[in-house]
Structures are given as C-alpha cells and as structure tokens.
Amino acid sequence: MILITCSKGVAPFLKEELLLLGFPVSAVTAASVATEGTLDEALRLNLLIRTGQRVLLLLKEFEAGNPDELYREVSGIEWEDLIERDGYISVTSSVDNPTIKDSRYANLKCKDAIVDRIMEKYGRRPDSGSGKDRAVVFLYWKESRCSLYLDTSGEPLSRRGYRKIPFEAPMQETLAAAVVLATGWEGSGNFINPMCGSGTLAIEAALVGLNRAPGFLRDNYGFMHLKGFNERLWNEIRMKARKEARKDLKGRIIAADISYEAIEAAKKNAATAGVAHVIDFVVCDYSETPVPEGGGVVVLNPEYGERMGRIKELEGTYSGIGNYFKQKCSGYSGYVFTGNPGLAKKVGLRPKRRIPFFNSGIECRLLEYELYEGSRKRQKQGDEKTGII
Ligand SMILES: C[S@@+](CC[C@H](N)C(=O)[O-])C[C@H]1O[C@@H](n2cnc3c(N)ncnc32)[C@H](O)[C@@H]1O
C-alpha cells in the first residue's frame, strides 16, 4: 500500500491525479490518499504527482501498547534488505499514545530497533539523525495501532527545487498546483496572475500547461537511499516524462506584481524551473494587469492580513479586484484565494464556487467568479441606474 499525504483540502485533486495516472484509489482522508504499489511505483509517483507532499510505502501494520513493544515489532522487519549498513536514516512520526509524551522518544526507539538489527546482521550500525536527505522512516502510532512506512520522498514534494527566492508569504508549491488544477486550466486559454509574488502559481501553471513533471528538477529523493532503488527504471521514467512534455503553450501566462523585487524573484524562480519562456512578467498594480483576448483564468492571491488595521486597508484592494474583474476580465473565470471571508465579501460579486483549502493552518477558500462576456456592459447599465458611475 502507498499512502500519499497532502495538505487539508487538497485530497480531491490528489485523488484525481492518481486516477489520471492509472493508479487505483483505495481510501481518501482529509490529508491523504491511499493507492496500491511497490517501491517501483513510488518512483513514478514522486516524479509525477503535483499536489501530494510525501509518498509513503507501507512496511508493516501492528499493535504496540508501549515503547518496548514498538521496539520489538520494528526489530522484526528485515531492515538489512532496505538500508545500507553504512547508510544514514532519519525517523519521523505522528504519535498519539498514552505512554509517549514526546514523539521524539518514539522516533528514538524506532531508530534503535533499526540500527540494532542491522548491527546484529552486519556488525555495523548505520548513522542516524534528523536530516531528511537520505533514507527516511515514518511511524504513525495512534493508541495501540502502528503503521510503519518508508518515506520515499525524503524532503517533502513541495520542495521542487525552483523557488530559490521566496519573497513575501509564498504559497506552498503543492498547494499552488492544487489551485491551478482546481481552476481547470490546462494550457489552452490564458492564465493571468496579478499579485504573483514569487511566481509560484504562474510557475505551477506553466508546469501543468507544458505537461512537465513537477519532480524533474529534484535530484534527491528518499527512495534513492534504499537498497531496492532501481536506478535504471528511474532513468526510464524520467526519459518518458521528458518525451511527454510540450515545448510551448497555446495560451499565455502573465505574472504581474506591484513590487519590482517580487517580479525579479519570480523571473529567477521561473528560469530555475525552466519555464520563464512561457511567462510574461509585468511590474504593475493588479488593476493594470493586461488581459488578452481569448479568455482563460485570472487568479489572485492577495494578502489577507491578520491585524485589524491591515484588514481595513485591504478592503479597498478586495473591492478593486471586483471592479477589475467586471471591467477587464469578461469572458474569463476569475479566482480569488483568501483566508479572510469578510474581505472576500468586499469583492462584491457572487462566487459560483467556494473551494476549501488550508494555507499554513489557516482555513482558506478559492472563490470562483464567472465573468460573462458582456458583464461589463450590464454592470455599466446597473451603475447608471443606481447613479454610481
Ligand atoms: C500573498 S502575496 C502572493 C504570494 C504568491 N502567491 C506566491 O506564491 O509567492 C501578495 C502579493 O501581492 C502583491 N501586491 C500587493 N498589493 C498589490 C497591488 N496593488 N497590485 C499588485 N500587486 C500587489 C504583493 O507585492 C505580494 O507579492
């Protein structure tokens, strides 16, 4: 069994991705999707999945009431077939058991069981520590039920390797990918991203539109440090993904921000991701962001503020977004990603859909607005009637 974790709200998009790749889906929770496969399938998933955080390969499920029972069960796994004797392992966990006050103790017990077993078999103990850049083992322990996994990703998949310059409040790459998938954009219409910050949404859109594997830039994964790693298969999977990528897009991607520094960061990040050639960068107020003919999606991720004073200041920005949609974006679908429902109301348009997400623990919504062709004219007529011109 393979369990792919994701941030809350993202699971429906992750499920869809898995089905499209031909993987069966056996279970979906708020923050994970389960599928079937071996270490070989995990390679493919690490390379191709856009919205998942970690690809976990189940090793064993067992009962353990206390740390000694945990040690005994973990010792029973044939670690000598998985971890090199001169390798390095890191154990992470999610623990909710009455005998454990600090999950680091569970990690330690688990790690001891692994290295003691390898020591017994080979007379040599692998190194261990907190670095996630080599073999990683993940323990899920709830009450007396344990599931032990190999974390084949190592570092989370959101670390694509292109965001060298984060700028302000960047969106996690995997969340940005889920937002792009939620808009349904696939590369044929235009993708307009005012307030682009470090460019994450525009870059993820480019990767989707070009059918580029999101994991292509990364040269290190947890699975590379496991004994069963099939390097030949990995190279074949990468080669196939490279062949299936498109060179260009039919539509245009426009990434704009009022901050020159943000655009400089976004340009560098896009260049690192190898997609700068399909993105037009503009320094301008969001309301001046060019919207070419032909339709598509306009996606904004404005700041949503935590301080009252700042929220008051942002009200004008949100109502301005409503005006921008009405005046410049007809024929497009408009999207606003925000964690503040009060500010969202200031957009002043009725959302067609409200898609729930979480960003850094804050409940957010991706609001979708249908901006019909001619809505500008209708709005003008409405404004004339109410005397607002
Ligand atoms: C929450 S951040 C966007 C983060 C982005 N999604 C990312 O992943 O990096 C909001 C961005 O809006 C920009 N911004 C604020 N006011 C703006 C305005 N009036 N016009 C255009 N951009 C603006 C800020 O410079 C900032 O980069």
Side-chain angles (χ1 to χ4, degrees):
M1 192 269 267
I2 291 179
L3 188 75
I4 308 180
T5 63
C6 60
S7 76
K8 265 164 91 182
V10 165
F13 303 98
L14 176 55
K15 177 185 169 185
E16 207 48 44
E17 279 199 273
L18 281 167
L19 294 174
L20 279 172
L21 289 171
F23 283 86
V25 168
S26 45
V28 179
T29 72
S32 71
V33 180
T35 184
E36 292 307 323
T38 61
L39 184 58
D40 285 353
E41 275 80 44
L43 308 193
R44 206 168 148 237
L45 291 167
N46 273 290
L47 182 69
L48 301 177
I49 283 290
R50 296 181 192 280
T51 61
Q53 276 294 85
R54 293 172 189 281
V55 179
L56 306 174
L57 181 65
L58 183 68
L59 287 176
K60 185 177 180 182
E61 286 180 302
F62 54 89
E63 295 283 325
N66 57 51
D68 289 339
E69 286 173 22
L70 174 75
Y71 181 93
R72 209 168 38 246
E73 289 289 343
V74 177
S75 304
I77 297 173
E78 290 161 342
W79 293 103
E80 61 279 10
D81 295 342
L82 298 168
I83 313 278
E84 297 287 351
R85 67 187 98 168
D86 54 356
Y88 174 101
I89 57 154
S90 170
V91 180
T92 59
S93 63
S94 163
V95 180
D96 175 11
N97 173 281
T99 67
I100 300 287
K101 289 203 174 57
D102 183 340
S103 66
R104 280 175 299 181
Y105 186 58
N107 299 354
L108 187 72
K109 279 308 252 192
C110 211
K111 184 271 295 172
D112 283 349
I114 300 169
V115 298
D116 289 353
R117 166 133 188 164
I118 295 175
M119 175 74 187
E120 203 177 285
K121 297 276 167 189
Y122 291 128
R124 181 140 186 208
R125 209 178 279 278
D127 280 338
S128 60
S130 58
K132 308 285 176 298
D133 56 346
R134 280 168 279 173
V136 181
V137 171
F138 175 70
L139 166 71
Y140 181 79
W141 189 3
K142 187 153 176 64
E143 286 152 19
S144 63
R145 195 87 204 119
C146 291
S147 306
L148 200 66
Y149 300 90
L150 285 170
D151 180 344
T152 67
S153 306
E155 297 286 356
L157 296 180
S158 53
R159 307 233 173 106
R160 309 265 205 247
Y162 65 71
R163 199 160 63 193
K164 304 283 187 216
I165 310 176
F167 200 62
E168 282 165 23
M171 194 181 260
Q172 208 174 45
E173 293 85 336
T174 43
L175 174 60
V179 167
V180 172
L181 297 183
T183 69
W185 192 77
E186 283 176 343
S188 42
N190 302 306
F191 188 96
I192 315 300
N193 181 209
M195 300 182 154
C196 70
S198 53
T200 324
L201 281 162
I203 294 169
E204 290 297 326
L207 294 174
V208 168
L210 293 169
N211 196 30
R212 289 251 181 109
F216 221 90
L217 280 183
R218 253 176 74 159
D219 54 11
N220 187 31
Y221 289 90
F223 62 72
M224 292 177 170
H225 306 277
L226 298 172
K227 267 189 161 176
F229 169 45
N230 182 343
E231 196 169 352
R232 191 184 47 77
L233 175 68
W234 175 240
N235 289 332
E236 277 169 24
I237 295 169
R238 279 176 55 93
M239 198 100 79
K240 183 166 182 286
R242 191 191 289 274
K243 277 198 197 125
E244 286 171 358
R246 286 183 277 274
K247 293 241 157 8
D248 236 317
L249 292 176
K250 287 203 193 99
R252 288 174 66 189
I253 300 179
I254 299 177
D257 200 285
I258 199 160
S259 155
Y260 172 80
E261 287 77 29
I263 291 298
E264 285 305 297
K267 275 185 187 168
K268 288 196 179 113
N269 293 335
T272 308
V275 296
H277 65 294
V278 294
I279 306 178
D280 295 331
F281 294 95
V282 191
V283 177
C284 66
D285 190 78
Y286 67 89
S287 59
E288 300 298 323
T289 309
V291 184
E293 293 281 303
V297 301
V298 190
V299 189
L300 294 100
N301 168 212
E303 203 190 310
Y304 30 89
E306 271 150 32
R307 287 177 299 106
M308 251 348 269
R310 184 70 191 128
I311 292 173
K312 266 265 135 318
E313 284 165 34
L314 287 168
E315 286 182 357
T317 304
Y318 278 73
S319 61
I321 290 173
N323 291 335
Y324 171 66
F325 278 166
K326 284 183 286 196
Q327 289 165 9
K328 301 217 167 134
C329 306
S330 50
Y332 274 74
S333 292
Y335 293 87
V336 175
F337 184 95
T338 181
N340 187 320
L343 284 173
K345 283 206 181 82
K346 300 285 170 197
V347 173
L349 297 169
R350 184 194 293 276
K352 183 182 159 202
R353 278 199 302 164
R354 296 178 177 84
I355 306 164
F357 283 108
F358 277 78
N359 192 13
S360 314
I362 298 175
E363 190 170 347
C364 295
R365 292 280 182 275
L366 177 68
L367 304 163
E368 178 181 312
Y369 304 92
E370 203 152 15
L371 310 168
Y372 294 107
E373 206 89 60
S375 63
R376 184 180 171 190
K377 209 164 108 202
R378 273 205 303 280
Q379 177 64 30
K380 233 174 138 188
Q381 284 164 354
D383 287 349
E384 275 160 13
K385 261 193 221 148
T386 53
I388 308 163
I389 302 287

